[in-house]
Amino acid sequence: VWRWWSTPLPGEPGSETWQGPGIAHPAGSTWMTGTYDKALDTLYWTVGNPGPDMIGDDRLGDNLYTDSVVALDPATGKLKWHFQFTPHDVWDYDAQETPALVDTMWKGQPRQLLIQANRNGFFYVLDRKSGEFLDGWQYTKEVTWASGLDDKGRPLRIEGMEPTVEGKRVCPSLTGASNWYSTAYNPATGLYYVQTEDKCGVFTRVDAEWEAGKGFMGGSFAPAPEPAQRLLRAIDIQQGSTVFEVPQTGRANSWGGVLSTAGGVVFFGDDSGAFTAVDANNGAVLWSFAANARWRASPMTYEFDGRQYIGVANGSTIMTF
């Protein structure tokens, strides 16, 4: 019925943000599921990073609509608005992290919000009707590629943080301060729960020409030498502050998401391999089950015969509690 392209062809609107031959092979894939808002009749979709991932020489400019969230008319595919989190990305900070649609009071007025803990290390609050940037804050321990966000939400980039031939230490790592796994917002607490990583990386530039059928990252990546840690963080969406965090034991190399329930419990796959339940108000551990999993899935909840269950995929096994 319709098709919307996440990057423009030369001469199309947005192509002016691609200066150089890189527009011929722009990347910008949309590899996660979108979100639909029935009240606003709007489809929200996040867009991946530009290519090559770690070299921006042939694609100067912001490179729309990579690293963005876009709002589309579901009937026609027409673009209503967009917001770009990381213009001219050279660290693979795609925007595929799960956004949440939240209806709440904001600065004393009811607002329809879209919130996201982005892979680039910043937490964003947008008006999902207009796309207006309302506020944003750093939510991970260390961010070295930008010093903050301006009043439009554009990052204040730090010079000299691009990948180098020798290798450049940058925070967050290529896997991000968060990633694709599910997040959760609880209207009773006003908190946004997200699995995060305090993790830096070494980005190494490797010059390469584009060839059909071959990788085109423009570099390689390795973890930084210092230890990394995975933490469940509860973010106050009004202030951007971390109300509590639950440090986890492991190598910061798991991919489980979060579930928050009306009963005041948050469930998640711990980096240690355990499945854990904590108090939604303060993060106190309620119980933990040693599942010995390297989590790849997010928990869900369902009711059967009047009893509530929690289900989660652990490899080829479905575990229920």
Side-chain angles (χ1 to χ4, degrees):
V1 175
W2 58 260
R3 179 178 292 171
W4 182 84
W5 293 96
S6 63
T7 54
L9 290 172
E12 292 182 343
S15 62
E16 69 280 0
T17 67
W18 295 81
Q19 300 164 24
I23 194 173
H25 308 289
S29 60
T30 54
W31 50 268
M32 281 294 288
T33 322
T35 302
Y36 177 65
D37 183 340
K38 182 179 180 181
L40 295 177
D41 193 28
T42 300
L43 184 65
Y44 303 95
W45 220 283
T46 50
V47 183
N49 56 277
D53 303 43
M54 300 185 200
I55 302 177
D57 299 4
D58 290 339
R59 52 174 177 85
L60 301 179
D62 287 353
N63 309 143
L64 292 175
Y65 294 91
T66 64
D67 290 11
S68 300
V69 58
V70 297
L72 305 175
D73 184 324
T76 66
K78 181 180 179 181
L79 179 67
K80 294 185 175 183
W81 58 260
H82 78 276
F83 180 84
Q84 189 176 43
F85 302 98
T86 311
H88 191 71
D89 178 15
V90 291
W91 304 281
D92 202 332
Y93 292 156
D94 60 57
Q96 303 295 346
E97 299 69 43
T98 310
L101 309 185
V102 174
D103 294 341
T104 190
M105 298 296 291
W106 176 266
K107 311 301 184 187
Q109 295 183 337
R111 297 292 287 260
Q112 297 163 303
L113 307 177
L114 182 147
I115 60 177
Q116 189 198 58
N118 193 270
R119 188 164 166 171
N120 67 16
F122 292 99
F123 172 70
Y124 295 82
V125 180
L126 309 179
D127 183 301
R128 72 174 185 267
K129 186 174 183 179
S130 65
E132 176 189 0
F133 170 77
L134 299 178
D135 218 332
W137 307 270
Q138 178 179 327
Y139 71 91
T140 190
K141 182 179 179 180
E142 189 174 6
V143 174
T144 64
W145 71 276
S147 60
L149 305 173
D150 68 15
D151 59 2
K152 299 294 185 183
R154 192 176 179 87
L156 303 171
R157 293 174 71 129
I158 296 173
E159 293 294 326
M161 297 308 297
E162 294 80 11
T164 64
V165 173
E166 299 78 20
K168 187 70 176 181
R169 178 185 176 274
V170 182
C171 311
S173 73
L174 181 139
T175 53
S178 190
N179 211 292
W180 55 263
Y181 26 80
S182 295
T183 60
Y185 172 75
N186 189 326
T189 63
L191 300 179
Y192 184 56
Y193 306 96
V194 56
Q195 288 277 54
T196 68
E197 291 186 355
D198 289 347
K199 186 176 183 180
C200 302
V202 177
F203 294 73
T204 302
R205 172 180 173 140
V206 179
D207 293 328
E209 295 293 327
W210 182 86
E211 291 185 59
K214 293 188 177 181
F216 191 49
M217 283 195 69
S220 62
F221 167 80
E226 67 270 16
Q229 187 171 37
R230 190 168 178 85
L231 306 96
L232 172 71
R233 283 186 165 104
I235 300 172
D236 180 340
I237 72 167
Q238 303 287 337
Q239 307 294 331
S241 57
T242 297
V243 174
F244 69 79
E245 56 187 36
V246 182
Q248 298 162 44
T249 301
R251 301 176 62 186
N253 196 27
S254 59
W255 301 81
V258 179
L259 170 69
S260 174
T261 66
V265 185
V266 176
F267 302 90
F268 64 97
D270 192 287
D271 200 37
S272 67
F275 187 72
T276 303
V278 300
D279 188 302
N281 292 288
N282 55 32
V285 175
L286 302 174
W287 57 265
S288 184
F289 179 84
N292 299 318
R294 187 180 178 195
W295 297 107
R296 290 280 195 271
S298 302
M300 54 86 75
T301 186
Y302 61 97
E303 186 178 293
F304 181 73
D305 280 350
R307 188 175 184 183
Q308 186 177 5
Y309 296 87
I310 302 296
V312 64
N314 175 5
S316 60
T317 302
I318 303 296
M319 307 184 76
T320 60
F321 300 87

